[in-house]
Amino acid sequence: KIEFGTDYSPDVSYHFNSKVSEFHYGVRHPMKPFRLMLTDHLVSGYGLHNYMDLYETRAASREELLEFHSKDYIDFLSKVTPDTVSKLPRGSLEKFNIGDDCPIFQGFYDYSVLYAGASLDASRKLLNGQSEIAINWSGGLHHAKKSSPSGFCYVNDIVLSIINLLRFHPRVLYIDIDIHHGDGVQEAFYTTDRVFTVSFHKYNGEFFPGTGNFDELGCSEGKHFALNVPLEDGIDDDSYINLFKGVMDPLITSYKPTVIIQQCGADSLGHDRLGCFNLNIKAHGECVKFIKSFGIPMLVVGGGGYTPRNVSRLWTYETGILSGMILPESLPEDSPFREWFGPDYSLYPTLGDLYENKNSKKFLENVRIRCLERIRYLQG
Ligand code: ZLV
Ligand code: CA
Ligand code: ZN
C-alpha cells in the first residue's frame, strides 16, 4: 500500500486531458503520446489521484498562443492538415520547418493546444495560490520557437506558462533535465534577467538541437541569466546528482526565484530509445526531490522520453515524490497495461548499465567549477 512520506506534503494538482494521449506522430516516429496514458494509469493504479487536486484541462485558446507565437505561424498551424499539406505552395514547408521531426499528423493542432492548455491551467493554479506544486506530464515541449516547430514540439507550453507566471512573479527559474538542450525556452528569455534558464544536456555540437554550449550565457539585460551544463555520454547516477545539487543549490540561493518550472524529460534515463545517459529512475527523481525541498511554488512538466514503459514509471515515481507519498516498488496489480512492465513489474528496473561513462571526474569537476564561477556573478 501507498504511505505518507516524512517530508512535507504540499497542495499538489495534476493537470491532464486524456485525449492528448490518443494522437499519433506516425508509426516510425519515436514520440508516443500513448506514454501519457501509461503514466496516468500507473498514477491512478497506485492511488495517487487521491492525494492531488485533479483537473481535466481545456485547450489553449488562439489568444493564449499569441502571447508568444507569431500570428502567421498560428494561422498556418491551425489551417494545415495532412490532406492540405501536400498542396501547399513550394517553400512553405521549409518556411515553417515542417518535416520528419515535426510531421503534420492527423489532429496535431488539437494535440498541441491540449498539452499547452494543461500547462497554462497548471500555471493559473500556482498564480491563484490553490496549488503549491502543479503537474502536467503532457507538457515540456521545450524546442518550439516563436514562428516554427522544432524537435517534435509545435507550440512551446513552457514559454507560454512562464509568460503567464511573469504577470505576478518577479523572478522565474527554469530547470531542464531532458537530455536535449532547452533551446526554445532559453531563446525566448535570452535578454531578460526575470527568467533564469538552466539546462543539463548532452552536448557535442552535433547532438540535437546542436546548441547549449557553456558559452551561451544570455545577452544584454539577460547576460548571466542563462546557464548551460554540457555533458558527455553515459553519465551515471552519482555524478549527475552531485553536479545537479552542486549547481542548483547556490543558484537557487543566489537568484531567489519566486516560482520554479522544472522540465523532467525522461530521455535522460538509461535505456532511452534516443538518449545515451545512464540515469536510473531514483536518481532522476532525486533531482526533483531536491528542487521540491526549497519549498518554492513549482510547475512540473514532462518532455522527452522514448521508452514508454520507463517514461511512465519515472513520472509516476515523481508524482509520488511531489505529493509526498511513498510508493511500493512492485507495480499496481490491477493496471490495464500491466504486460508493458514485465518481467520485473518493478517501479525501479535497472537502467544504468548500458553506456560507458565518458564524463571523467576531472571533466565533471571542471564543469562544476565553471558553473559556480558563473553563479558567483549573481551575488554581485
Ligand atoms: O525530447 O526523427 O536530429 C523534447 C525532446 O527534447 C534531428 N532530430 C534532426 C536534425 C536532422 N534531424 C533528423 C530528422 C529525423 C526525423 C525523425 C527520428 C525518427 C526515428 C528515430 C529518431 C529520430 C530522431 N530525431 C532522433 N533525434 C531526432 C532529433 C529531434 C529530437 C527531438 C527531441 C525532443 C520533446
Ligand atoms: Ca536539458
Ligand atoms: Zn529530449
Side-chain angles (χ1 to χ4, degrees):
K1 275 274 88 113
I2 167 171
E3 284 170 51
F4 283 96
T6 50
D7 50 324
Y8 176 60
S9 292
D11 294 329
V12 182
S13 55
Y14 181 87
H15 304 260
F16 187 55
N17 185 318
S18 61
K19 283 195 199 86
V20 81
S21 59
E22 291 165 16
F23 294 91
H24 298 269
Y25 279 70
V27 275
R28 299 219 302 275
H29 200 286
M31 177 58 105
K32 308 284 181 200
F34 169 71
R35 68 207 176 116
L36 301 164
M37 171 116 65
L38 280 185
T39 306
D40 193 53
H41 275 104
L42 277 188
V43 165
S44 58
Y46 268 118
L48 282 168
H49 279 154
N50 301 320
Y51 304 94
M52 302 184 286
D53 297 326
L54 307 182
Y55 295 98
E56 182 171 50
T57 55
R58 63 163 173 84
S61 68
R62 181 184 149 84
E63 288 64 42
E64 286 170 330
L65 300 178
L66 293 177
E67 290 289 324
F68 172 56
H69 293 286
S70 69
K71 197 170 169 302
D72 253 24
Y73 177 52
I74 296 303
D75 284 343
F76 169 78
L77 285 189
S78 58
K79 283 181 191 137
V80 70
T81 69
D83 298 327
T84 58
V85 71
S86 52
K87 298 174 191 112
L88 287 170
R90 248 179 291 119
S92 47
L93 292 187
E94 288 74 10
K95 178 181 171 198
F96 288 114
N97 188 33
I98 293 299
D100 294 341
D101 272 344
C102 303
I104 302 299
F105 60 85
Q106 196 62 249
F108 85 100
Y109 186 72
D110 300 323
Y111 163 78
S112 305
V113 294
L114 274 179
Y115 72 71
S119 286
L120 284 169
D121 196 52
S123 73
R124 283 191 292 270
K125 295 301 165 195
L126 292 172
L127 279 178
N128 72 14
Q130 282 186 54
S131 307
E132 294 167 271
I133 296 177
I135 304 171
N136 169 25
W137 294 127
S138 69
L141 279 75
H142 57 179
H143 298 304
K145 307 289 163 30
K146 180 184 167 95
S147 296
S148 71
S150 172
F152 319 160
C153 309
Y154 300 86
V155 301
N156 199 314
D157 61 295
I158 302 169
V159 171
L160 293 168
S161 304
I162 292 176
I163 291 172
N164 196 26
L165 292 168
L166 283 171
R167 290 164 56 217
F168 297 101
H169 283 279
R171 287 177 307 284
V172 179
L173 172 61
Y174 173 66
I175 306 167
D176 186 317
I177 60 173
D178 189 289
I179 198 171
H180 299 98
H181 177 225
D183 60 344
V185 186
Q186 173 177 295
E187 185 180 302
F189 303 109
Y190 210 55
T191 61
T192 177
D193 55 4
R194 289 187 59 203
V195 181
F196 194 113
T197 62
V198 52
S199 176
F200 294 75
H201 45 263
K202 173 183 162 83
Y203 178 82
N204 62 8
E206 267 172 41
F207 189 69
F208 188 86
T211 52
N213 201 358
F214 186 73
D215 61 13
E216 297 172 20
L217 76 170
C219 70
S220 64
E221 300 290 286
K223 189 165 177 193
H224 287 101
F225 293 87
L227 179 65
N228 285 293
V229 188
L231 300 167
E232 305 282 350
D233 287 6
I235 191 164
D236 62 24
D237 292 351
D238 288 348
S239 315
Y240 196 94
I241 293 172
N242 274 332
L243 181 62
F244 184 83
K245 292 186 176 177
V247 169
M248 293 317 299
D249 188 26
L251 205 173
I252 293 175
T253 308
S254 318
Y255 186 62
K256 296 182 178 61
T258 55
V259 66
I260 294 176
I261 163 156
Q262 183 162 18
Q263 196 266 21
C264 297
D267 47 9
S268 44
L269 290 177
H271 290 244
D272 185 79
R273 180 173 160 196
L274 298 193
C276 50
F277 285 174
N278 274 329
L279 296 187
N280 283 289
I281 286 172
K282 282 185 180 171
H284 198 285
E286 182 63 29
C287 299
V288 174
K289 190 185 283 192
F290 185 68
I291 299 305
K292 181 197 173 201
S293 73
F294 288 87
I296 297 168
M298 253 174 111
L299 173 50
V300 179
V301 294
Y306 305 99
T307 303
R309 61 179 184 278
N310 296 332
V311 176
S312 56
R313 285 189 250 234
L314 175 72
W315 291 345
T316 300
Y317 177 60
E318 293 180 338
T319 306
I321 287 173
L322 293 165
S323 53
M325 304 304 293
I326 298 173
L327 309 181
E329 172 171 354
S330 141
L331 294 174
E333 257 163 47
D334 43 5
S335 168
F337 298 102
R338 189 169 163 80
E339 71 275 11
W340 280 70
F341 304 102
D344 52 287
Y345 304 100
S346 162
L347 189 50
Y348 318 111
T350 305
L351 302 178
D353 56 352
L354 208 49
Y355 301 98
E356 183 193 344
N357 187 356
K358 294 279 176 60
N359 302 267
S360 67
K361 282 236 153 61
K362 200 174 153 198
F363 167 80
L364 290 168
E365 189 51 17
N366 185 256
V367 169
R368 196 178 67 87
I369 302 279
R370 290 198 298 168
C371 290
L372 293 181
E373 284 168 4
R374 280 285 169 72
I375 293 165
R376 212 166 297 140
Y377 174 89
L378 299 175
Q379 297 148 356

